[in-house]
Amino acid sequence: ILLGISLFFLIVALIVGQIMTKRAMKPIINSYTLQTEFIANASHELRTPLSVLKAGIEVIEFEEGKKFSSFSKSVLSDLKEEIRSTTQLVNNLLFLIRSDSGEQATVVESFDLLELMQQTLRSFGHISEAKKIKLKLQMQNPLIVCTEKEKVKQLLYILIDNAIKYTPNGGQVSVSYKLKSDSQNEQLYIEVKDTGIGISKELLERIFDRFYRVDKSRSRNSGSSGLGLSIGKFIVESLNGTIEVSSTLNKGSKFTIIIPLLKTN
Ligand code: ADP
């Protein structure tokens, strides 16, 4: 009988506990949902004016560019860079919100990695030029792969963006890929290497944490948010892959992503 009574009270306590927890959590969940919706809407709304600004500057450059003084040219170049890094931040925020809520769609397709890399590097053309950084694509041969193209594209953006951001003027950023396969698996290795400031050993682990930045004073002037690598890691893991980094302070860093591929045939 005693055991029965104890069990009864235990069950009642558990049920009451659960109800109380649910009630206590409700305002927290509601405010989280509101906050998430707000960030998603704000990010979405910001994309259009950013595209309009970018297109406007391109038109001005095309029509009037030749008449500009070197000062005006450098102002325009700074404006373009601010627009590019803000667009990247907005895209990162949107990606994070969609992933957290499980909304991120999965689209697997066959595509040429060489073409994707050439396209991506082209979009970093003006910023690398402004910093006199040599952008090098180590590959020449097309490579058809079957995986989620948009995710690979975003990974490349995050890693190349960082490589340029953390490499002083006159440095070099190189990108390469290779396939490794055995009888069952095929793995894609993508490498982004820079000759930049590097990351100390103790901090290497932390750079993948959300909102973590090694040098917080940079955040104001280099479009740094501490989101890129945490999203990168999340994307790689959603592809069942891994991301590795090796780095030497004042020499440079090398980020390698390894993604298992779907066989195309
Ligand atoms: P951020 O927006 O600050 O660049 P990330 O999550 O992309 O955010 O990177 C986190 C931190 O890792 C950065 O603030 C920077 O200190 C360091 N980091 C990332 N990539 C590099 C790199 N290629 N070279 C040196 N440091 C890097």
Side-chain angles (χ1 to χ4, degrees), residues 89 92 158-167 192-194 196-199 203 206-216 218-219 222-232 245 247 252-255:
L89 172 64
N92 281 346
I158 291 170
L159 295 183
I160 297 170
D161 188 42
N162 276 348
I164 296 176
K165 202 158 62 183
Y166 299 110
T167 296
V192 178
K193 210 168 138 188
D194 63 61
I197 58 172
I199 307 158
L203 297 174
R206 306 209 44 203
I207 57 171
F208 294 102
D209 296 347
R210 200 177 278 189
F211 297 115
Y212 183 78
R213 302 183 308 261
V214 173
D215 179 357
K216 293 185 173 48
R218 279 182 158 269
S219 56
S222 69
S224 165
S225 64
L227 277 178
L229 286 180
S230 70
I231 293 179
V245 51
S247 186
S253 311
K254 182 174 86 179
F255 285 81

Side-chain angles (χ1 to χ4, degrees), residues 120-180:
T120 313
L121 287 179
R122 264 200 300 276
S123 61
F124 284 99
H126 76 270
I127 161 81
S128 61
E129 250 171 57
K131 286 189 76 178
K132 305 217 170 353
I133 287 177
K134 194 168 172 198
L135 273 188
K136 226 171 145 181
L137 178 56
Q138 308 273 36
M139 321 307 298
Q140 275 145 24
N141 298 333
L143 178 71
I144 306 296
V145 293
C146 187
T147 181
E148 291 180 59
K149 183 179 175 185
E150 283 310 307
K151 287 188 179 173
V152 175
K153 189 171 159 184
Q154 188 154 8
L155 279 170
L156 285 171
Y157 262 95
I158 291 170
L159 295 183
I160 297 170
D161 188 42
N162 276 348
I164 296 176
K165 202 158 62 183
Y166 299 110
T167 296
N169 290 9
Q172 181 172 299
V173 171
S174 48
V175 186
S176 64
Y177 53 78
K178 66 178 175 219
L179 267 188
K180 274 193 187 173

Side-chain angles (χ1 to χ4, degrees), residues 19-248:
I19 294 170
M20 301 280 276
T21 316
K22 261 194 187 164
R23 278 207 187 151
M25 289 294 286
K26 211 173 168 191
I28 300 172
I29 294 171
N30 282 349
S31 99
Y32 176 75
T33 313
L34 274 177
Q35 198 181 342
T36 310
E37 273 172 12
F38 172 74
I39 298 175
N41 291 339
S43 309
H44 208 79
E45 293 301 314
L46 279 170
R47 284 225 280 210
T48 314
L50 282 169
S51 314
V52 173
L53 282 173
K54 181 170 176 266
I57 288 179
E58 278 166 3
V59 169
I60 293 173
E61 262 189 330
F62 182 74
E63 301 213 328
E64 313 279 337
K66 284 191 186 123
K67 297 181 216 156
F68 287 164
S69 65
S70 57
F71 175 71
S72 302
K73 278 183 188 157
S74 83
V75 171
L76 270 191
S77 163
D78 289 349
L79 282 178
K80 280 203 295 194
E81 174 46 19
E82 288 301 326
I83 292 171
R84 195 198 57 75
S85 67
T86 313
T87 308
Q88 173 81 354
L89 172 64
V90 164
N91 286 341
N92 281 346
L93 280 171
L94 269 176
F95 187 89
L96 212 61
I97 294 282
R98 285 182 188 143
S99 309
D100 279 353
S101 61
E103 266 178 50
Q104 199 63 30
T106 305
V107 183
V108 175
E109 56 195 304
S110 284
F111 61 94
D112 180 6
L113 189 61
L114 179 72
E115 207 179 291
L116 180 69
M117 285 197 174
Q118 286 168 335
Q119 255 173 29
T120 313
L121 287 179
R122 264 200 300 276
S123 61
F124 284 99
H126 76 270
I127 161 81
S128 61
E129 250 171 57
K131 286 189 76 178
K132 305 217 170 353
I133 287 177
K134 194 168 172 198
L135 273 188
K136 226 171 145 181
L137 178 56
Q138 308 273 36
M139 321 307 298
Q140 275 145 24
N141 298 333
L143 178 71
I144 306 296
V145 293
C146 187
T147 181
E148 291 180 59
K149 183 179 175 185
E150 283 310 307
K151 287 188 179 173
V152 175
K153 189 171 159 184
Q154 188 154 8
L155 279 170
L156 285 171
Y157 262 95
I158 291 170
L159 295 183
I160 297 170
D161 188 42
N162 276 348
I164 296 176
K165 202 158 62 183
Y166 299 110
T167 296
N169 290 9
Q172 181 172 299
V173 171
S174 48
V175 186
S176 64
Y177 53 78
K178 66 178 175 219
L179 267 188
K180 274 193 187 173
S181 48
D182 55 35
S183 52
Q184 280 143 29
N185 298 305
E186 205 165 42
Q187 294 203 308
L188 173 65
Y189 284 65
I190 295 178
E191 211 175 87
V192 178
K193 210 168 138 188
D194 63 61
T195 58
I197 58 172
I199 307 158
S200 70
K201 266 206 182 78
E202 313 84 74
L203 297 174
L204 273 182
E205 297 272 300
R206 306 209 44 203
I207 57 171
F208 294 102
D209 296 347
R210 200 177 278 189
F211 297 115
Y212 183 78
R213 302 183 308 261
V214 173
D215 179 357
K216 293 185 173 48
S217 62
R218 279 182 158 269
S219 56
R220 259 172 281 117
N221 53 17
S222 69
S224 165
S225 64
L227 277 178
L229 286 180
S230 70
I231 293 179
K233 186 161 181 254
F234 182 88
I235 298 176
V236 172
E237 284 172 357
S238 77
L239 294 168
N240 298 318
T242 48
I243 181 162
E244 290 170 4
V245 51
S246 60
S247 186
T248 313

